[in-house]
Structure formats: C-alpha cells, structure tokens
Amino acid sequence: MTDRTTDAILDAARESVARFGIRRTTLSDIARLAGVSRMTVYRRYPDLPAVIRDLMTREFGSLMDEIDASVDGPDGRSRLVARSHAAVRALREHPLLRKLLETEPELLLPYLLGRLGETQRHVLDLVRRDVAEGQADGSIRPGDPRTLAFSVLLTTQSFLFSAGTSEEVEEDEMLEELPRLLQAALRP
C-alpha cells in the first residue's frame, strides 16, 4: 500500500520514463514532475533503480490483479491458460514495458536470468493457486504444483519477451500458440 506522495512519485517516474527512457530520467526530474522536493524522493528511495523497481511492481502487479479478477473459466486449467494468455497480450501492449524493451532491455535481464522480481513472485502465487484449483477439480495433471507453476511462468515469459522475434511467424499468430501449448502441457 502506498501513500499519495509515493503514488505521485511513481506517477512522475512513469511519465519521465515514457518520455525519456530510464537512462535519461533523474530523481530530480521525478521530484519536479511529482511536485515534491528532491529530499522527499530521497527519503523514500535511495536511488533511481529503487524507484523503477517499485514502479514496475506497481504497474505490472496491478495489471496482473486486474486480469486475475476479470478473466474466468469453467475450471482451474481454463482459468490459468486464459489468464496467462491475457497477461502476455496486456503486458506486450503496456507502455512502460514497451519503453523498457525499446530503450533498455538489458535492465530486464536480471529478472529473466538471475532472480525473480516482486511481480514475478506475485504471478507465481496466482499461478500456484490456479494449478492447485485445477488439480483439485481434475483439469490439471498431477505433479508438484510449484514445479508446474514455475514451468508456466517460464513458458509465459518466453512468449512475452520473444514472440516477436521470428521473421517467419507473425507475432499474433505466435501468441495464439501459448494457450494451445499450456493446455497440452497441463492436461491430465
């Protein structure tokens, strides 16, 4: 939960990153856009990477919660597959992620190669829940729910970040393969 000042700082960070990219954004820019002093920003954040981490967590986490609440299905597998597909489509269109991928994709590498970020942990919790529900209703095959959930996360991330790399297959056509792949992998 954030307060209004923190929200203003994160809103200003989002605006600055959208305009200039992360490398050309400064804490002074953020303070000015938020209408607060630099010291107010520094009291909440030690540096720009901390602001960006909180911004990504807020933006992507709230998007995942919206998808979780709005996408439904008749069983655990259907819900998991529909939510994963909706998440990839929504994130590929999200202005912050698009800007990061256009201007500073290397900033996402630690979250793909080294450690999970807060949003990934949150998504993993949602996926684990759907896996458990699907196993309980018989729509998802037996197996360790943690392993299945992590496999879904890794597969979904690959579609999120790499679906547009093929010169032979259209991006939309590629994205339509995700539900088929997940359905087949999770089916009992």
Side-chain angles (χ1 to χ4, degrees):
M1 188 63 94
T2 59
D3 59 61
R4 287 174 24 174
T5 301
T6 302
D7 280 338
I9 291 168
L10 295 176
D11 290 345
R14 181 183 60 222
E15 182 179 339
S16 185
V17 168
R19 282 189 199 171
F20 310 114
I22 291 175
R23 286 202 178 85
R24 291 185 18 209
T25 294
T26 66
L27 290 179
S28 295
D29 294 335
I30 292 170
R32 183 179 36 74
L33 286 169
V36 300
S37 72
R38 283 186 326 165
M39 284 313 298
T40 298
V41 175
Y42 280 110
R43 273 190 231 109
R44 284 168 171 77
Y45 297 101
D47 54 24
L48 183 61
V51 175
I52 299 304
R53 278 191 304 273
D54 266 10
L55 176 62
M56 288 191 304
T57 298
R58 182 186 78 166
E59 295 289 309
F60 304 148
S62 66
L63 181 60
M64 294 303 95
D65 288 341
E66 288 173 24
I67 290 168
D68 185 58
S70 66
V71 175
D72 204 7
D75 56 49
R77 187 179 76 226
S78 297
R79 286 187 295 275
L80 174 55
V81 169
R83 288 173 180 152
S84 297
H85 189 229
V88 170
R89 287 205 168 275
L91 283 166
R92 287 191 67 77
E93 296 303 317
H94 194 284
L96 177 60
L97 185 60
R98 288 175 68 88
K99 187 67 168 188
L100 288 172
L101 290 172
E102 285 173 18
T103 61
E104 288 121 347
E106 69 280 1
L107 295 175
L108 297 169
L109 285 177
Y111 303 107
L112 299 174
L113 302 175
R115 68 182 189 285
L116 293 179
E118 282 299 311
T119 302
Q120 290 165 305
R121 283 191 199 92
H122 178 60
V123 168
L124 202 49
D125 288 341
L126 297 173
V127 172
R128 272 192 211 113
R129 180 207 61 210
D130 286 345
V131 167
E133 289 175 5
Q135 287 178 325
D137 68 27
S139 65
I140 293 181
R141 67 180 171 83
D144 178 18
R146 294 171 307 146
T147 303
L148 291 175
F150 198 69
S151 297
V152 168
L153 176 69
L154 293 179
T155 302
T156 303
Q157 282 183 170
S158 72
F159 275 78
L160 173 61
F161 294 111
S162 301
T165 61
S166 175
E167 294 175 6
E168 298 175 21
V169 180
E170 291 293 321
E171 183 177 332
D172 282 343
E173 186 180 336
M174 191 70 235
L175 289 177
E176 289 308 312
E177 285 301 312
L178 177 61
R180 293 182 191 101
L181 185 69
L182 292 176
Q183 286 281 2
L186 297 170
R187 184 173 292 119

